Amino acid sequence: MVTIFLPTVDRPHLLRTALVSLAAQTAIGAITRVIVSENSGGRHSEALCREFSASLPIEYRAQTRQLSPIDHLVSLKAPPDGFVAILHDDDWWAPGHLAASLDRMARHPDAAVTYSGLFYAEAESSPLQCDSNLMFWFGAQFPVLTAEWRLSVAEVLMSCVWGTPGHFCAFLARAEAYRRAAFVYELGNPWDVDRLLTMELVRSGPLVFAPTPEVFIRRHASQGTHTFSFPERHAHLRATTERLIAHAREISLDLSAGVAQRLSTVPPSSRASLLDALIQPWSLEPLAAHGLAFPEVVAHATALAPKPKNLRYKIGRLLPPVLLEALARRSGR
């Protein structure tokens, strides 16, 4: 009923935690396949997969060439029915994640996908940071913190224009919806593919989001930034925004009006953090190029812009701190 794609590469010590979390699922009986796809170079995780074969329906595949994470997903085809989930080899699920996801899909039979909230962690034993639900909350027009929110395609689009609202490892999608959306892996946009996937999945039906975290994502210090330069990241992000703008036009969604309406109703305590999230240049620049205006957002971005560095500032930066302190004391400040 549930096929889980699990790409990996020569790190069975991390993969073990992911597999332990799958074996601990309260809905383990719903898992029909766990496809572990490993990059070529020694079949380092094959023995570990055999170790778990008694408790999980694992299919181990050693790739014949080195694949990127996205290329792994291109090679893993969705089944004809049931559900699809993805788990990275360095992340893991809470025991009730799969059961809760299946329950949400059963109660929303027309939904194409469900996402859950998540925690970030440095390791299996570390302090936790709860990921912000800001983008889905914004898109859904600030619902109260109930167990789940149901978002329409327009609300998901409004969420995705400004950021990535859901993580790869936190969704469960109907296989048919996943097959329709999987073309995004081959669009040549490896940096921002998760935002693209979220948007394409809801073309097949609504999205159900559970704000309560059910997934643990291992935090890596600037992991992706070592692979992509800033101009490359900016170009990929902007390309995604362009696709979202085109989709908004297809469904006659007025992005400017949608933002203005939400800014008029956002709870005051969250207004500043929301505006901070909406000032991303890779969204504002293409939106402005298409004639879409967001005066409050632009005004907020302008207010946060660094002040020009005049000659006095530059000279001050050259002076050692001890001299600055002496000057301040002498002037009585």
Side-chain angles (χ1 to χ4, degrees), residues 164 188-196 221-242 280-283 285-286:
T164 302
N189 191 342
W191 174 261
D192 206 24
V193 70
D194 45 356
R195 191 159 60 120
L196 286 166
S222 304
Q223 183 179 30
T225 60
H226 298 305
T227 306
F228 300 92
S229 67
F230 176 79
E232 288 174 324
R233 298 196 304 271
H234 187 93
H236 289 319
L237 289 161
R238 181 165 180 147
T240 299
T241 303
E242 291 280 359
Q280 306 300 334
W282 37 265
S283 288
E285 290 171 5

mmCIF file of all heavy atoms in Angstrom, residues 164 188-196 221-242 280-283 285-286:
data_model
loop_
_atom_site.group_PDB
_atom_site.id
_atom_site.type_symbol
_atom_site.label_atom_id
_atom_site.label_comp_id
_atom_site.label_asym_id
_atom_site.label_seq_id
_atom_site.Cartn_x
_atom_site.Cartn_y
_atom_site.Cartn_z
ATOM 1 N N THR A 164 9.488 27.413 0.572
ATOM 2 C CA THR A 164 9.197 25.986 0.516
ATOM 3 C C THR A 164 8.438 25.602 1.778
ATOM 4 O O THR A 164 9.020 25.550 2.857
ATOM 5 C CB THR A 164 10.491 25.167 0.421
ATOM 6 O OG1 THR A 164 11.217 25.580 -0.735
ATOM 7 C CG2 THR A 164 10.189 23.682 0.326
ATOM 8 N N GLY A 188 15.626 20.333 -14.613
ATOM 9 C CA GLY A 188 16.925 20.991 -14.516
ATOM 10 C C GLY A 188 16.996 22.010 -13.395
ATOM 11 O O GLY A 188 17.726 23.003 -13.505
ATOM 12 N N ASN A 189 16.249 21.781 -12.318
ATOM 13 C CA ASN A 189 16.224 22.708 -11.191
ATOM 14 C C ASN A 189 16.439 21.927 -9.893
ATOM 15 O O ASN A 189 15.534 21.793 -9.076
ATOM 16 C CB ASN A 189 14.886 23.452 -11.145
ATOM 17 C CG ASN A 189 14.903 24.617 -10.169
ATOM 18 O OD1 ASN A 189 15.752 24.693 -9.284
ATOM 19 N ND2 ASN A 189 13.948 25.520 -10.311
ATOM 20 N N PRO A 190 17.626 21.400 -9.657
ATOM 21 C CA PRO A 190 17.845 20.523 -8.501
ATOM 22 C C PRO A 190 17.802 21.234 -7.164
ATOM 23 O O PRO A 190 17.562 20.605 -6.135
ATOM 24 C CB PRO A 190 19.239 19.947 -8.762
ATOM 25 C CG PRO A 190 19.915 20.975 -9.607
ATOM 26 C CD PRO A 190 18.838 21.538 -10.488
ATOM 27 N N TRP A 191 18.047 22.541 -7.136
ATOM 28 C CA TRP A 191 18.072 23.256 -5.860
ATOM 29 C C TRP A 191 16.670 23.434 -5.277
ATOM 30 O O TRP A 191 16.475 23.336 -4.072
ATOM 31 C CB TRP A 191 18.728 24.633 -6.053
ATOM 32 C CG TRP A 191 18.652 25.493 -4.821
ATOM 33 C CD1 TRP A 191 17.755 26.484 -4.556
ATOM 34 C CD2 TRP A 191 19.488 25.414 -3.662
ATOM 35 N NE1 TRP A 191 17.983 27.033 -3.323
ATOM 36 C CE2 TRP A 191 19.043 26.399 -2.751
ATOM 37 C CE3 TRP A 191 20.570 24.608 -3.315
ATOM 38 C CZ2 TRP A 191 19.651 26.595 -1.513
ATOM 39 C CZ3 TRP A 191 21.167 24.808 -2.078
ATOM 40 C CH2 TRP A 191 20.718 25.784 -1.201
ATOM 41 N N ASP A 192 15.681 23.665 -6.107
ATOM 42 C CA ASP A 192 14.363 24.081 -5.633
ATOM 43 C C ASP A 192 13.274 23.083 -5.985
ATOM 44 O O ASP A 192 12.106 23.439 -6.093
ATOM 45 C CB ASP A 192 14.027 25.457 -6.232
ATOM 46 C CG ASP A 192 13.062 26.246 -5.368
ATOM 47 O OD1 ASP A 192 13.002 25.985 -4.155
ATOM 48 O OD2 ASP A 192 12.376 27.129 -5.899
ATOM 49 N N VAL A 193 13.635 21.821 -6.152
ATOM 50 C CA VAL A 193 12.676 20.851 -6.652
ATOM 51 C C VAL A 193 11.589 20.539 -5.636
ATOM 52 O O VAL A 193 10.458 20.194 -6.003
ATOM 53 C CB VAL A 193 13.409 19.552 -7.083
ATOM 54 C CG1 VAL A 193 13.947 18.792 -5.879
ATOM 55 C CG2 VAL A 193 12.508 18.664 -7.917
ATOM 56 N N ASP A 194 11.866 20.677 -4.326
ATOM 57 C CA ASP A 194 10.837 20.366 -3.342
ATOM 58 C C ASP A 194 9.684 21.364 -3.399
ATOM 59 O O ASP A 194 8.520 21.004 -3.208
ATOM 60 C CB ASP A 194 11.417 20.292 -1.935
ATOM 61 C CG ASP A 194 12.364 21.429 -1.617
ATOM 62 O OD1 ASP A 194 12.645 22.243 -2.508
ATOM 63 O OD2 ASP A 194 12.841 21.499 -0.459
ATOM 64 N N ARG A 195 9.992 22.633 -3.689
ATOM 65 C CA ARG A 195 8.926 23.630 -3.847
ATOM 66 C C ARG A 195 8.094 23.328 -5.096
ATOM 67 O O ARG A 195 6.858 23.438 -5.085
ATOM 68 C CB ARG A 195 9.548 25.029 -3.940
ATOM 69 C CG ARG A 195 8.544 26.158 -3.847
ATOM 70 C CD ARG A 195 9.153 27.483 -3.438
ATOM 71 N NE ARG A 195 10.168 28.003 -4.329
ATOM 72 C CZ ARG A 195 10.100 29.179 -4.974
ATOM 73 N NH1 ARG A 195 9.036 29.948 -4.828
ATOM 74 N NH2 ARG A 195 11.076 29.590 -5.735
ATOM 75 N N LEU A 196 8.770 22.923 -6.169
ATOM 76 C CA LEU A 196 8.060 22.557 -7.394
ATOM 77 C C LEU A 196 7.152 21.348 -7.171
ATOM 78 O O LEU A 196 6.012 21.316 -7.634
ATOM 79 C CB LEU A 196 9.070 22.247 -8.506
ATOM 80 C CG LEU A 196 9.800 23.423 -9.145
ATOM 81 C CD1 LEU A 196 10.979 22.923 -9.969
ATOM 82 C CD2 LEU A 196 8.846 24.229 -10.016
ATOM 83 N N ALA A 221 25.262 21.834 8.255
ATOM 84 C CA ALA A 221 25.692 23.227 8.106
ATOM 85 C C ALA A 221 25.879 23.557 6.633
ATOM 86 O O ALA A 221 26.820 23.089 5.992
ATOM 87 C CB ALA A 221 26.994 23.454 8.866
ATOM 88 N N SER A 222 24.943 24.339 6.096
ATOM 89 C CA SER A 222 25.036 24.835 4.719
ATOM 90 C C SER A 222 25.294 23.713 3.726
ATOM 91 O O SER A 222 26.095 23.845 2.810
ATOM 92 C CB SER A 222 26.144 25.894 4.622
ATOM 93 O OG SER A 222 25.910 26.935 5.530
ATOM 94 N N GLN A 223 24.623 22.583 3.896
ATOM 95 C CA GLN A 223 24.890 21.414 3.058
ATOM 96 C C GLN A 223 24.782 21.730 1.569
ATOM 97 O O GLN A 223 25.694 21.466 0.799
ATOM 98 C CB GLN A 223 23.920 20.296 3.432
ATOM 99 C CG GLN A 223 24.159 19.000 2.671
ATOM 100 C CD GLN A 223 23.177 17.929 3.093
ATOM 101 O OE1 GLN A 223 22.047 18.223 3.477
ATOM 102 N NE2 GLN A 223 23.578 16.683 3.036
ATOM 103 N N GLY A 224 23.662 22.322 1.169
ATOM 104 C CA GLY A 224 23.457 22.570 -0.251
ATOM 105 C C GLY A 224 24.316 23.688 -0.810
ATOM 106 O O GLY A 224 24.593 23.725 -2.007
ATOM 107 N N THR A 225 24.751 24.609 0.063
ATOM 108 C CA THR A 225 25.489 25.760 -0.447
ATOM 109 C C THR A 225 26.878 25.380 -0.912
ATOM 110 O O THR A 225 27.543 26.167 -1.581
ATOM 111 C CB THR A 225 25.591 26.864 0.619
ATOM 112 O OG1 THR A 225 26.278 26.341 1.760
ATOM 113 C CG2 THR A 225 24.217 27.322 1.045
ATOM 114 N N HIS A 226 27.370 24.202 -0.540
ATOM 115 C CA HIS A 226 28.673 23.762 -1.038
ATOM 116 C C HIS A 226 28.576 23.243 -2.478
ATOM 117 O O HIS A 226 29.576 23.158 -3.175
ATOM 118 C CB HIS A 226 29.252 22.670 -0.135
ATOM 119 C CG HIS A 226 29.502 23.128 1.266
ATOM 120 N ND1 HIS A 226 30.272 24.228 1.576
ATOM 121 C CD2 HIS A 226 29.075 22.637 2.453
ATOM 122 C CE1 HIS A 226 30.323 24.395 2.879
ATOM 123 N NE2 HIS A 226 29.593 23.444 3.437
ATOM 124 N N THR A 227 27.374 22.891 -2.896
ATOM 125 C CA THR A 227 27.169 22.336 -4.230
ATOM 126 C C THR A 227 26.785 23.413 -5.241
ATOM 127 O O THR A 227 27.176 23.341 -6.404
ATOM 128 C CB THR A 227 26.073 21.255 -4.180
ATOM 129 O OG1 THR A 227 26.416 20.296 -3.180
ATOM 130 C CG2 THR A 227 25.932 20.561 -5.526
ATOM 131 N N PHE A 228 26.027 24.398 -4.792
ATOM 132 C CA PHE A 228 25.528 25.437 -5.690
ATOM 133 C C PHE A 228 26.049 26.792 -5.247
ATOM 134 O O PHE A 228 26.003 27.129 -4.061
ATOM 135 C CB PHE A 228 23.995 25.465 -5.676
ATOM 136 C CG PHE A 228 23.349 24.184 -6.110
ATOM 137 C CD1 PHE A 228 23.005 23.211 -5.186
ATOM 138 C CD2 PHE A 228 23.085 23.944 -7.449
ATOM 139 C CE1 PHE A 228 22.409 22.030 -5.577
ATOM 140 C CE2 PHE A 228 22.483 22.773 -7.852
ATOM 141 C CZ PHE A 228 22.153 21.816 -6.921
ATOM 142 N N SER A 229 26.523 27.583 -6.197
ATOM 143 C CA SER A 229 26.939 28.945 -5.894
ATOM 144 C C SER A 229 25.701 29.805 -5.642
ATOM 145 O O SER A 229 24.581 29.420 -5.983
ATOM 146 C CB SER A 229 27.732 29.529 -7.064
ATOM 147 O OG SER A 229 26.888 29.696 -8.196
ATOM 148 N N PHE A 230 25.904 30.994 -5.054
ATOM 149 C CA PHE A 230 24.763 31.872 -4.806
ATOM 150 C C PHE A 230 24.040 32.231 -6.104
ATOM 151 O O PHE A 230 22.802 32.170 -6.153
ATOM 152 C CB PHE A 230 25.210 33.144 -4.081
ATOM 153 C CG PHE A 230 24.084 34.119 -3.887
ATOM 154 C CD1 PHE A 230 23.156 33.945 -2.873
ATOM 155 C CD2 PHE A 230 23.935 35.217 -4.736
ATOM 156 C CE1 PHE A 230 22.103 34.825 -2.701
ATOM 157 C CE2 PHE A 230 22.895 36.113 -4.567
ATOM 158 C CZ PHE A 230 21.970 35.912 -3.538
ATOM 159 N N PRO A 231 24.729 32.606 -7.190
ATOM 160 C CA PRO A 231 24.004 32.907 -8.440
ATOM 161 C C PRO A 231 23.189 31.715 -8.940
ATOM 162 O O PRO A 231 22.080 31.891 -9.463
ATOM 163 C CB PRO A 231 25.117 33.287 -9.419
ATOM 164 C CG PRO A 231 26.228 33.777 -8.555
ATOM 165 C CD PRO A 231 26.183 32.916 -7.336
ATOM 166 N N GLU A 232 23.734 30.490 -8.776
ATOM 167 C CA GLU A 232 22.990 29.307 -9.218
ATOM 168 C C GLU A 232 21.728 29.118 -8.369
ATOM 169 O O GLU A 232 20.645 28.838 -8.896
ATOM 170 C CB GLU A 232 23.867 28.067 -9.113
ATOM 171 C CG GLU A 232 24.967 27.996 -10.150
ATOM 172 C CD GLU A 232 25.902 26.829 -9.919
ATOM 173 O OE1 GLU A 232 26.176 26.505 -8.737
ATOM 174 O OE2 GLU A 232 26.380 26.247 -10.909
ATOM 175 N N ARG A 233 21.870 29.249 -7.053
ATOM 176 C CA ARG A 233 20.708 29.100 -6.172
ATOM 177 C C ARG A 233 19.642 30.141 -6.505
ATOM 178 O O ARG A 233 18.461 29.833 -6.588
ATOM 179 C CB ARG A 233 21.138 29.235 -4.703
ATOM 180 C CG ARG A 233 22.113 28.171 -4.252
ATOM 181 C CD ARG A 233 22.205 28.091 -2.741
ATOM 182 N NE ARG A 233 22.547 29.343 -2.098
ATOM 183 C CZ ARG A 233 23.786 29.755 -1.850
ATOM 184 N NH1 ARG A 233 24.810 28.998 -2.241
ATOM 185 N NH2 ARG A 233 24.021 30.882 -1.207
ATOM 186 N N HIS A 234 20.090 31.381 -6.684
ATOM 187 C CA HIS A 234 19.156 32.466 -6.992
ATOM 188 C C HIS A 234 18.427 32.186 -8.312
ATOM 189 O O HIS A 234 17.210 32.390 -8.423
ATOM 190 C CB HIS A 234 19.919 33.787 -7.079
ATOM 191 C CG HIS A 234 19.036 34.988 -7.218
ATOM 192 N ND1 HIS A 234 18.608 35.729 -6.135
ATOM 193 C CD2 HIS A 234 18.464 35.565 -8.301
ATOM 194 C CE1 HIS A 234 17.836 36.718 -6.552
ATOM 195 N NE2 HIS A 234 17.736 36.649 -7.862
ATOM 196 N N ALA A 235 19.168 31.695 -9.319
ATOM 197 C CA ALA A 235 18.560 31.409 -10.619
ATOM 198 C C ALA A 235 17.529 30.291 -10.514
ATOM 199 O O ALA A 235 16.443 30.371 -11.101
ATOM 200 C CB ALA A 235 19.646 31.049 -11.631
ATOM 201 N N HIS A 236 17.845 29.236 -9.759
ATOM 202 C CA HIS A 236 16.896 28.132 -9.594
ATOM 203 C C HIS A 236 15.638 28.590 -8.862
ATOM 204 O O HIS A 236 14.510 28.237 -9.241
ATOM 205 C CB HIS A 236 17.551 26.985 -8.822
ATOM 206 C CG HIS A 236 18.594 26.238 -9.597
ATOM 207 N ND1 HIS A 236 18.430 25.910 -10.922
ATOM 208 C CD2 HIS A 236 19.801 25.739 -9.234
ATOM 209 C CE1 HIS A 236 19.497 25.241 -11.346
ATOM 210 N NE2 HIS A 236 20.336 25.142 -10.345
ATOM 211 N N LEU A 237 15.824 29.370 -7.790
ATOM 212 C CA LEU A 237 14.684 29.862 -7.023
ATOM 213 C C LEU A 237 13.797 30.767 -7.881
ATOM 214 O O LEU A 237 12.573 30.681 -7.850
ATOM 215 C CB LEU A 237 15.181 30.616 -5.794
ATOM 216 C CG LEU A 237 15.810 29.747 -4.698
ATOM 217 C CD1 LEU A 237 16.673 30.587 -3.762
ATOM 218 C CD2 LEU A 237 14.724 29.019 -3.909
ATOM 219 N N ARG A 238 14.438 31.635 -8.645
ATOM 220 C CA ARG A 238 13.680 32.544 -9.494
ATOM 221 C C ARG A 238 12.921 31.758 -10.579
ATOM 222 O O ARG A 238 11.770 32.092 -10.902
ATOM 223 C CB ARG A 238 14.616 33.558 -10.145
ATOM 224 C CG ARG A 238 13.884 34.556 -11.022
ATOM 225 C CD ARG A 238 14.723 35.746 -11.379
ATOM 226 N NE ARG A 238 13.965 36.671 -12.218
ATOM 227 C CZ ARG A 238 14.099 37.978 -12.209
ATOM 228 N NH1 ARG A 238 14.973 38.540 -11.400
ATOM 229 N NH2 ARG A 238 13.368 38.742 -12.997
ATOM 230 N N ALA A 239 13.548 30.721 -11.137
ATOM 231 C CA ALA A 239 12.873 29.916 -12.160
ATOM 232 C C ALA A 239 11.607 29.263 -11.593
ATOM 233 O O ALA A 239 10.570 29.192 -12.264
ATOM 234 C CB ALA A 239 13.823 28.849 -12.697
ATOM 235 N N THR A 240 11.673 28.799 -10.349
ATOM 236 C CA THR A 240 10.487 28.224 -9.721
ATOM 237 C C THR A 240 9.396 29.268 -9.558
ATOM 238 O O THR A 240 8.216 29.021 -9.836
ATOM 239 C CB THR A 240 10.837 27.631 -8.346
ATOM 240 O OG1 THR A 240 11.804 26.597 -8.514
ATOM 241 C CG2 THR A 240 9.602 27.039 -7.681
ATOM 242 N N THR A 241 9.783 30.469 -9.110
ATOM 243 C CA THR A 241 8.802 31.540 -8.944
ATOM 244 C C THR A 241 8.126 31.873 -10.273
ATOM 245 O O THR A 241 6.917 32.116 -10.321
ATOM 246 C CB THR A 241 9.464 32.795 -8.350
ATOM 247 O OG1 THR A 241 10.094 32.455 -7.109
ATOM 248 C CG2 THR A 241 8.440 33.890 -8.100
ATOM 249 N N GLU A 242 8.891 31.860 -11.346
ATOM 250 C CA GLU A 242 8.313 32.119 -12.669
ATOM 251 C C GLU A 242 7.249 31.072 -13.002
ATOM 252 O O GLU A 242 6.173 31.402 -13.528
ATOM 253 C CB GLU A 242 9.408 32.120 -13.740
ATOM 254 C CG GLU A 242 10.379 33.290 -13.659
ATOM 255 C CD GLU A 242 9.794 34.562 -14.268
ATOM 256 O OE1 GLU A 242 8.654 34.526 -14.756
ATOM 257 O OE2 GLU A 242 10.495 35.596 -14.241
ATOM 258 N N GLN A 280 11.976 38.011 0.067
ATOM 259 C CA GLN A 280 13.009 37.293 -0.672
ATOM 260 C C GLN A 280 13.132 37.847 -2.100
ATOM 261 O O GLN A 280 12.133 37.912 -2.825
ATOM 262 C CB GLN A 280 12.684 35.799 -0.734
ATOM 263 C CG GLN A 280 12.446 35.167 0.620
ATOM 264 C CD GLN A 280 13.629 35.276 1.548
ATOM 265 O OE1 GLN A 280 14.779 35.385 1.111
ATOM 266 N NE2 GLN A 280 13.371 35.278 2.842
ATOM 267 N N PRO A 281 14.330 38.216 -2.527
ATOM 268 C CA PRO A 281 14.481 38.799 -3.871
ATOM 269 C C PRO A 281 14.099 37.846 -4.982
ATOM 270 O O PRO A 281 13.608 38.270 -6.029
ATOM 271 C CB PRO A 281 15.968 39.181 -3.925
ATOM 272 C CG PRO A 281 16.624 38.329 -2.882
ATOM 273 C CD PRO A 281 15.606 38.166 -1.791
ATOM 274 N N TRP A 282 14.337 36.541 -4.778
ATOM 275 C CA TRP A 282 14.007 35.583 -5.829
ATOM 276 C C TRP A 282 12.502 35.426 -6.008
ATOM 277 O O TRP A 282 12.063 34.783 -6.965
ATOM 278 C CB TRP A 282 14.644 34.224 -5.563
ATOM 279 C CG TRP A 282 14.702 33.798 -4.134
ATOM 280 C CD1 TRP A 282 15.743 33.945 -3.267
ATOM 281 C CD2 TRP A 282 13.674 33.120 -3.401
ATOM 282 N NE1 TRP A 282 15.432 33.420 -2.041
ATOM 283 C CE2 TRP A 282 14.164 32.906 -2.098
ATOM 284 C CE3 TRP A 282 12.388 32.694 -3.728
ATOM 285 C CZ2 TRP A 282 13.436 32.272 -1.114
ATOM 286 C CZ3 TRP A 282 11.646 32.053 -2.750
ATOM 287 C CH2 TRP A 282 12.176 31.858 -1.459
ATOM 288 N N SER A 283 11.704 35.999 -5.112
ATOM 289 C CA SER A 283 10.262 36.086 -5.335
ATOM 290 C C SER A 283 9.855 37.480 -5.775
ATOM 291 O O SER A 283 9.141 37.653 -6.764
ATOM 292 C CB SER A 283 9.494 35.710 -4.055
ATOM 293 O OG SER A 283 9.580 34.334 -3.798
ATOM 294 N N GLU A 285 11.535 39.974 -7.141
ATOM 295 C CA GLU A 285 12.040 40.457 -8.436
ATOM 296 C C GLU A 285 11.215 39.937 -9.607
ATOM 297 O O GLU A 285 10.747 40.734 -10.439
ATOM 298 C CB GLU A 285 13.513 40.102 -8.587
ATOM 299 C CG GLU A 285 14.427 40.894 -7.644
ATOM 300 C CD GLU A 285 15.850 40.378 -7.653
ATOM 301 O OE1 GLU A 285 16.160 39.461 -8.463
ATOM 302 O OE2 GLU A 285 16.666 40.857 -6.843
ATOM 303 N N PRO A 286 10.992 38.624 -9.729
ATOM 304 C CA PRO A 286 10.157 38.180 -10.859
ATOM 305 C C PRO A 286 8.710 38.616 -10.748
ATOM 306 O O PRO A 286 8.061 38.890 -11.765
ATOM 307 C CB PRO A 286 10.292 36.643 -10.822
ATOM 308 C CG PRO A 286 10.777 36.324 -9.456
ATOM 309 C CD PRO A 286 11.586 37.482 -9.006
#
